[in-house]
Every structure is written in structure tokens, then in C-alpha cells.
């Protein structure tokens, strides 16, 4: 069977599985919708947390970023892995013992104020939407190549293939997120983890065997290339330098910026609401700790493999495309052209694909007519910006295209597509649940209509999820950047807003509502303003010379966090102390649980 048939088959089977699980585990109460009734086993919760955590950014885009950035891309590995350890050790057990539904719930009760709850609610929704648009973009990338790649021309029934992909992804995630709530999402994510990790590891093992003779990708990364007597990374350095790029193992970022980006990703992880809420779904504090251990183990399997996948993909790309005649280009390159994620502009009319540093043109490929990828005549309408480089490669395709570049069997190629969809949909569902519960529980139930019935609250939650899916789909069609780049901004926003108030809320009895509110507002406004200015208002100024203290937009969340901490602590010292009952609550959640103690989710 061809790739597309295999893809239809495998994706169809996995989608049917997800929907079947959602029907089987549909939520019948607000407790089941919000936190799966608080009775998920630790192992299952660890697997679901890993799937929730390993988004399209981890599965699709992270290895692509490392492929193109080399050493500089290591900040994503260090930040995201270290951040999960921070979350598991510092936050998960305490938040689970607190026993509420959402992060705004914790903030509202800990800081005894409706305003604090509303500020936290805004932060949660803003961060979640920033994050979810990256997931929908990942869904569109997969669909546009593997399910609609054979369509004639860039349009299909009036829509781009990537738009169709986002629409189908919206439909599937809407079905099981709205029907099943956290209960349905949890058990769907267990299945999605199995799919995504199998899909990531199978081609990695195959390619490691082919290139180095070693079936373990992590060891293959540091091994010699079969039959060449040269280490893989040395070979990759040479291939990069021959084309004018910096050596793959060299870095261009300053140590200061690497520190700030890594820290923003770490503390942003610990402040992400869709990950935190997973620890409310287990029975006991000890189960929260155990599920955190399982999740870290499951996450480490993919994260330790990603650098090898990046190096394999970059090596194969540089050996198969540059300085080759377009007429002899491999079939996979033209297939990705049809998806609009690779483009060649023959600037010197020699029919040879020139690949070098520099932009081919401004923005993403813009085609005219229906002949892209079908013949040698290029119909790109973009204005050229660099004479040396003629090849545009979207970073988000490297993991998905890797099996094709390595000439693996068609079923492996299709398996990777199914894994990419599993990663994107699992995280998208968790984020949509955060948005819907924030609206129904924190905004409606806790703020404007405290007497609302469970049935009406559940209806509002499902309606909010539906609206959120539509908005997320829009951002999937019109994304503000590469998947991992967009997600990195969400982590920066989480670092600058949630992390300080949660940490101080647990470990400082003196922290009060005035400090928390002002700290969150200042932190997220400063960070969001910095990112929006350099990325959207004045991108031409986005250079080291113009950055504040040399900190890039990806790392500014760390500075926003520091400002938040400073503002919160200073303001809390000059304003009234928290009430005695709040101090008593803080002391209670910091006490070890009694042996065998089970914590029910608080009634609302």
C-alpha cells in the first residue's frame, strides 16, 4: 500500500479508538468532567500526564528545531525536562492535597479574593490559547502532507490542505473533550501515549541501525557512521560547514540568553495549568508523587531520543537534496511541496537546488496556479531576499519527513503521522479542558452564579469547550510561528504569571492577595508586551542589539518571573497579612498525609 492509504488506515483506527474511549468513559458529573472523579490510578495518570505534556512541540517540532539550530536547540531539552522535575518536586503534592479543581481555584482560595481568581483565570485562558494554537498547527501540518497530499493544486474544495487538517482535528478533539471531559481525556491520553511513543521510537531505531549499526538511538548519536569510519556528529559538522552553515555542535546564543530561555521553559512548565490539573485526578498525595515519577520516566524515553532523531534527519537531508538537480529530486521533497512546507526558488535558473544560510524569501511559500511540485517551472510569488539560498524547509516537518528521507517502509511513515496527531490532540484536549473549566467553574460558578446547578455548570463547560475549539482552529490555520516557538512563548507567559504566586502561595505564609494580584498583572503584561513588540509589532528590531539586557523574547519570561517575585514580595510586606484561616490552610497542605489517607476532591 502507498503512504496515503496506510495513513488513512492507521489514523482512522486511532481516531476510532479515541472516540470509542470517550464514549465508554463519558463524564456524568462536574467532578468527572473536571478531574475524572479524582480516582485515576497513578500509572495511568503518569501515562496520561506524559501524553498531555508531550505535545506537537515535543513530537513534531522540537527535533526540527534542534536539526536546524544544533547546539542552541538544547535549551528546549534542558528546559522542558528540568521543568517537569521542578513541577513534580515542588508543586504536584501540595496542589493535590489542596484538593481543588483548577489553578484559579487555588489562587482564589489561597489569596481569599475574587480579583485574584479573575486575574489567574485570565492568565490561564491566555496561556492555554497561546499553547493550543501550536497544537492545532501541528495537526494541520500532519494532515496537509499525509492525508491531502495528492490533491491537485493548493486548493481542495475551496480550502488549503492544512485548513482541512485543522478542521478534522477540531472535530475529533471536540468530540472526546466535550463528551468525556477529564475522565474521557485521561483514558484517551493513555492510548495516545502508546501511539505517539511507538511512532517516535520505531523510525528512530530503524534509522539508527541503518546509519550506525546500533539499534539504540541514544548510543547511535555518538557512534561512527557505518562503513565511513567517522563519527556521526563529526560528519554532520562537516556537511553543515560545506554548505556555509555553522558547525552543528557549535552554538551562537550567549550563555546569558541560554540561561534565561532554559529557566523560562523550566519554571513555565511548573506553571502550566493543563499539566498541574493532572495531579488533581489521583486519590492521594502519595499517588500524585508516584504518577509524577511514571510521567517523568515516560517523557524521558522521547526526550533522550530527540537529539538522535534531529541529527539523523539533518544528516539525511543534507545528503539527499543540496546541489542536486530538481528534476532528480526525491519524491518526498515534491510531496512536501504540495503540502506547502517545502519550496524551491530557482534564482539563477540552473535547475540545481542551492541550499545555504539566509532566507529564500520573506514569510512562508506563496504559490500561484496549480503546478507547484509538478514540474521544474517554479510558480512561487514571494520576493527573493538572498541570492545564495534557494530552498525553504519548514522546521516542523523534520520528524514527519525523516522516515521518507531515510526510505523506510510506507507503514512506518504513516505510523509517524498517527503519532504526530496523537501528540497534538492529547495536549490540545487538556488545554481545551483548562479553558472550559476556567469559564464554567471559575468565572460562572465561583464568580457570577454561585447557586448554579451541576447540570447547568456541565453544560456551560461543554459550550465553552466548543467555542475554544473554534478559536484554537483559527489560530491553527493562521499560526503566529513554528509550533515549538509558539509553545515557548506560552511557557514564558506561565513563568511570569503563575509560577511565583503558586510557589509563594505554598511556601510563604506572609504572601497576601495584594502582592499576588499585582505580581501576576505586572509579570504577564511585561512579558506579553515584550514578546508582542519584538515578534509582531517590530520584528525588524528583533536582534541581540535591541533586546533588553541581551535577553531574547523566548527567554524574557524569566525576567518577567523575577519581576513578579519582586513585586509580590515587596507589596505583601507593606499590606495587611493574610487572615488566620488562610495561614492555617497553608500549614495543612504542607503537612505530610496520614498513611492510607485518601483525599476527596472538594465539593463545589
Amino acid at each position: 500500500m502507498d503512504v496515503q492509504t496506510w495513513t488513512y488506515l492507521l489514523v482512522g483506527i486511532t481516531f476510532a479508538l479515541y472516540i470509542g474511549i470517550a464514549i465508554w468513559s463519558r463524564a456524568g458529573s462536574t467532578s468527572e468532567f473536571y478531574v475524572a472523579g479524582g480516582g485515576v490510578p497513578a500509572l495511568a495518570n503518569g501515562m496520561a500526564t506524559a501524553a498531555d505534556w508531550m505535545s506537537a512541540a515535543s513530537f513534531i517540532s522540537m527535533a526540527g528545531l534542534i536539526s536546524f539550530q544544533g547546539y542552541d536547540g538544547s535549551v528546549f531539552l534542558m528546559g522542558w525536562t528540568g521543568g517537569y522535575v521542578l513541577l513534580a518536586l515542588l508543586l504536584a503534592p501540595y496542589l493535590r492535597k489542596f484538593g481543588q479543581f483548577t489553578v484559579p481555584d487555588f489562587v482564589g482560595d489561597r489569596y481569599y479574593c475574587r480579583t485574584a481568581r479573575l486575574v489567574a483565570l485570565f492568565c490561564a485562558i491566555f496561556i492555554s490559547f497561546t499553547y493550543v494554537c501550536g497544537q492545532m498547527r501541528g495537526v494541520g501540518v500532519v494532515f496537509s502532507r499525509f492525508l491531502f497530499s495528492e490533491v491537485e493544486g493548493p486548493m481542495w474544495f475551496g480550502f488549503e490542505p492544512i485548513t482541512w487538517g485543522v478542521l478534522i482535528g477540531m472535530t475529533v478533539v471536540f468530540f472526546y473533550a466535550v463528551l468525556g471531559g477529564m475522565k474521557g481525556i485521561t483514558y484517551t491520553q493513555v492510548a495516545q501515549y502508546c501511539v505517539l511513543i511507538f511512532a517516535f521510537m520505531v523510525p528512530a531505531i530503524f534509522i539508527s541501525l541503518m546509519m550506525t549499526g546500533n539499534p539504540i538511538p541514544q548510543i547511535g548519536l555518538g557512534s561512527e557512521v557505518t562503513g565511513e569510519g567517522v563519527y556521526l556528529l563529526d560528519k554532520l559538522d562537516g556537511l553543515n560547514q560545506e554548505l556555509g552553515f555553522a558547525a552543528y555542535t557549535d552554538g551562537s546564543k550567549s550563555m546569558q540568553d541560554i540561561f534565561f530561555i532554559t529557566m523560562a521553559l523550566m519554571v513555565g512548565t511548573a506553571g502550566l495549568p493543563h499539566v498541574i490539573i493532572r495531579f488533581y485526578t489521583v486519590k492521594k498525595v502519595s499517588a500524585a508523587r508516584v504518577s509524577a515519577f511514571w510521567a517523568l520516566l515516560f517523557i524521558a524515553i522521547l526526550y533522550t531520543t530527540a537529539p538522535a532523531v534531529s541529527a539523523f534527519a539533518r544528516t539525511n537531508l543534507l545528503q539527499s537534496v543540496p546541489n542536486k538537480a530538481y528534476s532528480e529530486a526525491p519524491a518526498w521533497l515534491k510531496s512536501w511541496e504540495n503540502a506547502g512546507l517545502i519550496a524551491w526558488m530557482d534564482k539563477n535558473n540552473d535547475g540545481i537546488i542551492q541550499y545555504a544560510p539566509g532566507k529564500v524569501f520573506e514569510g512562508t511559500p506563496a504559490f500561484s496556479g496549480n503546478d507547484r511540485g509538478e514540474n521544474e517551472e517554479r510558480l512561487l510569488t514571494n520576493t527573493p531576499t538572498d541570492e545564495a539560498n534557494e530552498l525553504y524547509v519548514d522546521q516542523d516537518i523534520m520528524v514527519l519527513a525523516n522516515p521518507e528521507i531515510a526510505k523506510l517502509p510506507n507503514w512506518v511513515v504513516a505510523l509517524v503521522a498517527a503519532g504526530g496527531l496523537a501528540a497534538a490532540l492529547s495536549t490540545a484536549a487538556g488545554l481545551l479542558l483548562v479553558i472550559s473549566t476556567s469559564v464554567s467553574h471559575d468565572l460562572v460558578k465561583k464568580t457570577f452564579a454561585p447557586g448554579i446547578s451541576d447540570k447547568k455548570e456541565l453544560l456551560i463547560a461543554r459550550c465553552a469547550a466548543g467555542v475554544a475549539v473554534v478559536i484554537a482552529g483559527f489560530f491553527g490555520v493562521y499560526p503566529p510561528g513554528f509550533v515549538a516557538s509558539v509553545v515557548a512563548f506560552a511557557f514564558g507567559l506561565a513563568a511570569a504569571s503563575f509560577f511565583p504566586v503558586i510557589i509563594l502561595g505554598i511556601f510563604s505564609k506572609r504572601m497576601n492577595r495584594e502582592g499576588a494580584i499585582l505580581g501576576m498583572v505586572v509579570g504577564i503584561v511585561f512579558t506579553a508586551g515584550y514578546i508582542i513588540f519584538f515578534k509582531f509589532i517590530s520584528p525588524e528590531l528583533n536582534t541581540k542589539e535591541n533586546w533588553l539586557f541581551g535577553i531574547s523574547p523566548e527567554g524574557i519570561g524569566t525576567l518577567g518571573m523575577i519581576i513578579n517575585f519582586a513585586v509580590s514580595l515587596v507589596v505583601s510586606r507593606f499590606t495587611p497579612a493574610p487572615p488566620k484561616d488562610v495561614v492555617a490552610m497553608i500549614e495543612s497542605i504542607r503537612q505530610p498525609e496520614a498513611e492510607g489517607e485518601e483525599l476527596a476532591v472538594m465539593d463545589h
Side-chain angles (χ1 to χ4, degrees):
M1 290 190 290
D2 61 17
V3 170
Q4 197 166 39
T5 304
W6 269 112
T7 305
Y8 277 121
L9 178 63
L10 294 181
V11 170
I13 291 172
T14 56
F15 277 14
L17 176 63
Y18 305 154
I19 293 172
I21 292 173
I23 294 172
W24 166 74
S25 58
R26 60 188 178 276
S29 67
T30 52
S31 177
E32 289 183 341
F33 190 89
Y34 293 150
V35 291
V40 179
L43 178 61
N45 194 56
M47 199 172 290
T49 303
D52 210 353
W53 170 239
M54 291 190 293
S55 63
S58 294
F59 188 98
I60 296 175
S61 196
M62 181 174 65
L65 281 173
I66 299 172
S67 283
F68 281 79
Q69 297 182 13
Y71 175 82
D72 286 339
S74 62
V75 295
F76 293 95
L77 289 170
M78 294 186 293
W80 286 338
T81 307
Y84 190 82
V85 176
L86 190 67
L87 171 63
L89 294 178
L90 280 184
L91 300 182
Y94 302 104
L95 290 174
R96 176 59 192 94
K97 191 167 185 184
F98 185 66
Q100 292 282 15
F101 280 164
T102 65
V103 175
D105 244 355
F106 171 80
V107 173
D109 287 1
R110 165 59 181 86
Y111 296 108
Y112 50 96
C113 176
R114 178 184 293 185
T115 303
R117 182 188 299 276
L118 290 175
V119 172
L121 169 68
F122 169 79
C123 293
I125 293 175
F126 187 61
I127 291 165
S128 297
F129 269 124
T130 304
Y131 202 163
V132 80
C133 70
Q135 310 315 308
M136 301 313 291
R137 153 79 177 183
V139 171
V141 167
V142 176
F143 270 106
S144 64
R145 163 62 185 95
F146 293 106
L147 295 182
F148 301 122
S149 61
E150 302 303 323
V151 300
E152 291 297 327
M155 305 293 284
W156 197 53
F157 293 105
F159 291 107
E160 291 276 355
I162 200 165
T163 304
W164 274 108
V166 171
L167 291 173
I168 294 174
M170 286 168 55
T171 303
V172 174
V173 77
F174 172 81
F175 186 90
Y176 72 77
V178 171
L179 180 65
M182 179 57 84
K183 186 178 179 183
I185 286 171
T186 296
Y187 292 105
T188 302
Q189 285 174 336
V190 171
Q192 287 168 330
Y193 175 78
C194 295
V195 172
L196 75 86
I197 201 66
F198 188 69
F200 198 84
M201 294 304 299
V202 167
I205 292 169
F206 268 125
I207 297 172
S208 183
L209 270 171
M210 292 169 62
M211 296 185 71
T212 68
N214 195 307
I216 304 174
Q218 293 88 338
I219 298 176
L221 177 64
S223 301
E224 292 185 352
V225 179
T226 302
E228 297 187 22
V230 61
Y231 285 98
L232 175 65
L233 290 175
D234 290 336
K235 178 178 180 176
L236 187 49
D237 279 345
L239 290 171
N240 268 290
Q241 291 171 319
E242 285 174 12
L243 296 173
F245 295 95
Y248 187 78
T249 53
D250 286 347
S252 61
K253 293 181 183 294
S254 66
M255 288 304 297
Q256 173 181 306
D257 196 32
I258 287 176
F259 170 81
F260 273 83
I261 294 173
T262 303
M263 182 61 70
L265 295 173
M266 283 182 64
V267 297
T269 300
L272 283 177
H274 76 292
V275 177
I276 290 174
I277 200 173
R278 288 238 55 94
F279 296 104
Y280 297 150
T281 63
V282 293
K283 293 181 179 180
K284 300 187 294 183
V285 174
S286 59
R289 291 191 176 96
V290 173
S291 65
F293 163 77
W294 282 116
L296 186 59
L297 178 64
F298 293 139
I299 290 167
I301 296 172
L302 187 144
Y303 269 58
T304 57
T305 307
V309 171
S310 305
F312 298 155
R314 181 73 176 176
T315 302
N316 282 328
L317 174 69
L318 297 186
Q319 289 184 123
S320 61
V321 174
N323 300 319
K324 303 284 177 64
Y326 180 79
S327 58
E328 300 174 1
W332 64 264
L333 185 142
K334 297 182 181 182
S335 295
W336 281 103
E337 275 193 306
N338 284 340
L341 298 169
I342 280 181
W344 174 59
M345 179 179 278
D346 194 8
K347 297 176 182 178
N348 56 7
N349 296 314
D350 65 352
I352 304 296
I353 302 172
Q354 309 291 338
Y355 187 43
K359 291 184 177 180
V360 184
F361 40 69
E362 290 297 333
T364 54
F367 294 93
S368 117
N370 294 326
D371 295 329
R372 59 179 182 181
E374 298 299 323
N375 55 44
E376 292 188 34
E377 184 178 356
R378 311 312 301 143
L379 296 174
L380 280 166
T381 60
N382 305 71
T383 302
T385 62
D386 183 87
E387 289 302 317
N389 189 19
E390 298 179 346
L391 184 67
Y392 169 88
V393 182
D394 191 302
Q395 296 178 10
D396 286 341
I397 74 166
M398 293 308 291
V399 169
L400 299 172
N402 200 18
E404 291 182 283
I405 299 173
K407 300 178 181 178
L408 295 183
N410 288 342
W411 68 268
V412 178
V413 178
L415 180 64
V416 173
L421 289 172
L425 293 177
S426 63
T427 302
L431 292 164
L432 292 170
L433 187 70
V434 167
I435 295 168
S436 67
T437 54
S438 295
V439 172
S440 63
H441 183 70
D442 296 301
L443 186 63
V444 178
K445 172 91 171 177
K446 285 286 190 170
T447 306
F448 296 116
I452 193 173
S453 68
D454 270 9
K455 187 175 181 180
K456 287 185 178 179
E457 185 182 352
L458 193 57
L459 177 62
I460 293 170
R462 285 176 165 146
C463 291
V467 173
V469 167
V470 174
I471 298 173
F474 174 81
F475 284 115
V477 176
Y478 303 103
F482 296 118
V483 174
S485 300
V486 175
V487 169
F489 296 142
F491 280 74
L493 296 171
S497 57
F498 277 140
F499 184 75
V501 296
I502 295 174
I503 286 292
L504 292 174
I506 294 171
F507 296 104
S508 171
K509 297 179 185 178
R510 187 63 180 79
M511 184 65 182
N512 63 11
R513 64 186 178 189
E514 290 83 4
I517 293 169
L518 198 56
M520 280 192 292
V521 170
V522 172
I524 199 165
V525 168
F526 168 78
T527 304
Y530 191 92
I531 291 171
I532 291 169
F533 177 79
F534 280 114
K535 286 295 182 177
F536 304 109
I537 297 177
S538 300
E540 70 279 1
L541 298 178
N542 189 21
T543 60
K544 294 179 182 178
E545 293 74 23
N546 297 314
W547 293 340
L548 183 64
F549 305 125
I551 304 171
S552 66
E554 290 83 358
I556 199 63
T558 300
L559 185 56
M561 175 198 67
I562 295 171
I563 293 172
N564 187 336
F565 268 119
V567 169
S568 298
L569 291 171
V570 170
V571 170
S572 66
R573 294 298 171 187
F574 293 96
T575 48
K580 292 182 179 179
D581 61 324
V582 172
V583 174
M585 177 184 67
I586 298 168
E587 290 177 343
S588 70
I589 67 172
R590 283 158 53 175
Q591 293 297 319
E593 63 179 335
E595 187 175 353
E597 176 186 0
E598 290 191 6
L599 299 175
V601 178
M602 289 184 179
D603 293 330
H604 293 264

